[in-house]
Amino acid sequence: MNTERHPTETPPPGTTDRHRPSWVSDESIRHWCSWIHRDTPRHEAVEARLPVSLAPFDLSPLPSVPSCRPGDVVSAAATAAAAQRRWERVPIAHRARAVLAFHDLLLERQDQVLDLIQWETGKARFHAWQEVAQVAAIARHYARRAGRYLAPRRVRGIIPGLTRVTRQRVPKGVVGVVSPWNYPLYLGVGDVLPALLAGNGVVSKADPQTALTLLWTRSLLHEAGLPDELWRIVAGDPVKVGTALVDTVDFVCFTGSTATGRTVAERAARRLTGASLELGGKNPLIVRADADVAAAATGTAVAAFANTGQMCVHVERVYAHESVYDAFRDELVRVTESLRPGGSYDYAHDLGSLVSADRLAAVRAHVEDAVAKGARVVTGGPARPDIGPLFHEPTVLEGVTPEMDVFAEETFGPVLSLYRYTTDDEAVNLANQGSYGLSASIWSRDTRAAAGMAARIRAGSVNVNDGAAAAAGSVEAEMGGMGDSGLGRRHGAEGILKYTESQTVAVQRFLPLGPPPGRSPEDFVRRTNGQLALLRRLGVR
């Protein structure tokens, strides 16, 4: 296993547009790839590597990275487990120092990772920066609050004064993290940081499309002071390597499709291993009759088309009250048509590319199927090869009906469907259609009424007068899905407690729990019953 390390490079200003960023050298790529855990002897002439992925901006090949085998995953988990046994004895305040150092380095060198994210995903630079901002907030929050979240709690014992009980949190052991390509920094490290702070080791599976972003992040955490063996990274065949990971670790954190999430949950359940799953969504947005139409239209465009629609919480269906529907639709068209798609390593464009030819084909298929079955394109519609090979116009549809694929299936692209409604009850029922329940949005000047509606919507997060960012960015509040959108939560207390087990330590003093010597069981039962009745009369909880 190669453990040689080199300092993180500082890039010169500027990048090569639509190609490899100019500061990324072959040496830096080799250094990042050295973080992939492989037990393959270094003298092997041919190293197994992942199939080459393509850079979305121009379909040029991305650097390939070493491929792991199932045995490498087992070895990675064993290495992390050995390091974890030392790490859990490190005071939380000391663990937090490394995370805060990472926070500072991330902000200092953010242009590096912004370039990598754009190179690997094709997203607009502002949407790449949102990942940096979110990870910085997560790092700061858990570094400052982990001690409070994980602190032992004294609770009342069975015999107050004689039984001293402490409820404490102990680490799971080794956490497996499987993160997708669409948010390689936020989802790649945002779940890793609280797991580490809780005292665990981690094994992450890198997505082949965005492996360099994750490996760059691992290198930065090494520089921040995280022990090398504690966080291991594997890459390889999704089925073989992913299965080996689920079969090896003590807890699984998975973000991805609902279909794959079911497979992960079933496999983890065989070992009685816990799992946290954030899965798909078909997220609704409601525009009430009293909404600020201009603000709602702008917010809808952001919620639907940010990251080119490639995010689990993005809005795919909008229900506008019939009294404001026409005005809202017209304003939404104006806002949508003002968006600037393009591929550059700066902030000149509002929308980036789709990530792959398969993703582009899926988006086009949904639009073409809807049009063929009677839907109308209000704006957008076609792909935009004149901008880049994987660009697609942000698209708004009307007249979508249940027989169309776009009606209930997650598009995961820049496509939005509009519907009318007449009453709040109808809007809630429409929002609750389907099996997903990840995120929702309500726009209204009457925020109290909107909050009342929110409580009736089956979704893990509901935003009022915002598309998705208000809830997702509030890292002190939990975020996750209901129904087919997943299990468990990230962020907040649950986002770190899920990586621990609750352990009760009870210390009995002076008297045993039972009849003392020389006293009959009948006498003990009579006296105890009297004590129980007294506690009830005194209102003791």
Side-chain angles (χ1 to χ4, degrees), residues 468-482:
S474 300
V475 297
E476 197 169 340
E478 285 77 9
M479 175 186 171
M482 301 179 183

Side-chain angles (χ1 to χ4, degrees), residues 42-379:
R42 296 181 63 181
H43 63 267
E44 280 194 357
V46 179
E47 180 179 58
R49 305 189 79 83
L50 291 177
V52 173
S53 298
L54 302 179
F57 281 159
D58 62 358
L59 298 185
S60 60
L62 291 166
S64 62
V65 301
S67 179
C68 299
R69 299 169 299 186
D72 297 319
V73 179
V74 175
S75 172
T79 300
Q84 185 272 330
R85 288 189 286 272
R86 298 187 296 270
W87 179 248
E88 69 177 333
R89 296 194 294 269
V90 174
I92 293 178
H94 292 181
R95 298 177 207 160
R97 290 176 190 170
V99 173
L100 289 174
F102 166 77
H103 169 281
D104 297 343
L105 288 170
L106 176 63
L107 293 181
E108 176 186 328
R109 299 182 189 166
Q110 63 180 281
D111 283 342
Q112 291 184 21
V113 77
L114 293 180
D115 286 350
L116 290 178
I117 292 171
Q118 287 195 276
W119 187 27
E120 293 187 305
T121 69
K123 67 175 65 182
R125 197 167 188 84
F126 179 74
H127 299 144
W129 171 84
Q130 288 178 319
E131 294 197 55
V132 171
Q134 186 79 326
V135 170
I138 290 169
R140 185 185 67 251
H141 174 75
Y142 283 116
R144 299 297 191 198
R145 295 292 296 272
R148 189 179 307 177
Y149 285 142
L150 302 174
R153 300 283 191 269
R154 287 285 299 275
V155 297
R156 182 184 296 114
I158 185 172
I159 304 178
L162 299 182
T163 309
R164 185 181 66 203
V165 178
T166 303
R167 187 178 60 204
Q168 59 192 30
R169 312 297 305 198
V170 296
K172 291 276 190 181
V174 176
V175 173
V177 176
V178 181
S179 56
W181 51 263
N182 60 323
Y183 280 86
L185 180 66
Y186 166 48
L187 297 176
V189 73
D191 291 314
V192 169
L193 295 176
L196 292 170
L197 281 165
N200 296 283
V202 175
V203 178
S204 289
K205 180 188 172 297
D207 188 281
Q209 182 69 37
T210 53
L212 294 184
T213 296
L214 185 64
L215 294 169
W216 178 93
T217 307
R218 180 62 189 91
S219 183
L220 203 68
L221 261 165
H222 158 75
E223 191 172 344
L226 187 76
D228 287 357
E229 296 81 9
L230 193 64
W231 180 20
R232 311 308 296 162
I233 294 177
V234 295
D237 179 85
V239 175
K240 293 180 180 178
V241 171
T243 297
L245 185 67
V246 175
D247 287 348
T248 304
V249 297
D250 303 305
F251 185 84
V252 180
C253 180
F254 172 84
T255 304
S257 71
T258 297
T260 304
R262 290 186 190 279
T263 301
V264 169
E266 290 169 1
R267 192 156 196 104
R270 295 176 192 172
R271 300 177 55 233
L272 300 182
T273 299
S276 174
L277 312 168
E278 185 177 293
L279 309 176
K282 190 73 176 177
N283 305 302
L285 182 149
I286 296 170
V287 182
R288 297 186 76 230
D290 67 341
D292 180 329
V293 168
T298 299
T300 299
V302 171
F305 305 130
N307 206 39
T308 321
Q310 299 170 119
M311 59 179 180
C312 55
V313 295
H314 92 114
V315 167
E316 293 202 7
R317 49 196 175 111
V318 173
Y319 303 101
H321 191 272
E322 59 184 3
S323 65
V324 296
Y325 180 93
D326 291 341
F328 170 79
R329 177 198 57 206
D330 294 345
E331 182 64 14
L332 177 62
V333 168
R334 186 193 69 77
V335 173
T336 300
E337 292 178 349
S338 72
L339 297 174
R340 303 165 299 170
S344 63
Y345 290 98
D346 56 30
Y347 293 94
H349 298 100
D350 304 309
L351 296 180
S353 170
L354 290 164
V355 74
S356 67
D358 287 346
R359 190 94 306 277
L360 176 62
V363 171
R364 292 184 64 183
H366 266 197
V367 174
E368 290 168 2
D369 173 79
V371 171
K373 294 174 180 175
R376 183 172 76 90
V377 175
V378 180
T379 186

Side-chain angles (χ1 to χ4, degrees), residues 410-471:
E410 184 179 28
T411 303
F412 215 68
V415 179
L416 183 67
S417 302
L418 299 185
Y419 307 86
R420 300 174 188 264
Y421 78 91
T422 56
T423 68
D424 284 352
D425 286 344
E426 181 188 7
V428 170
N429 291 334
L430 289 169
N432 285 336
Q433 280 185 335
S435 59
Y436 292 115
L438 187 58
S439 180
S441 174
I442 303 172
W443 290 78
S444 173
R445 287 187 170 92
D446 187 343
T447 56
R448 178 173 295 183
M453 289 178 66
R456 299 163 56 199
I457 292 178
R458 185 171 169 268
S461 299
V462 182
N463 298 264
V464 174
N465 293 334
D466 183 80

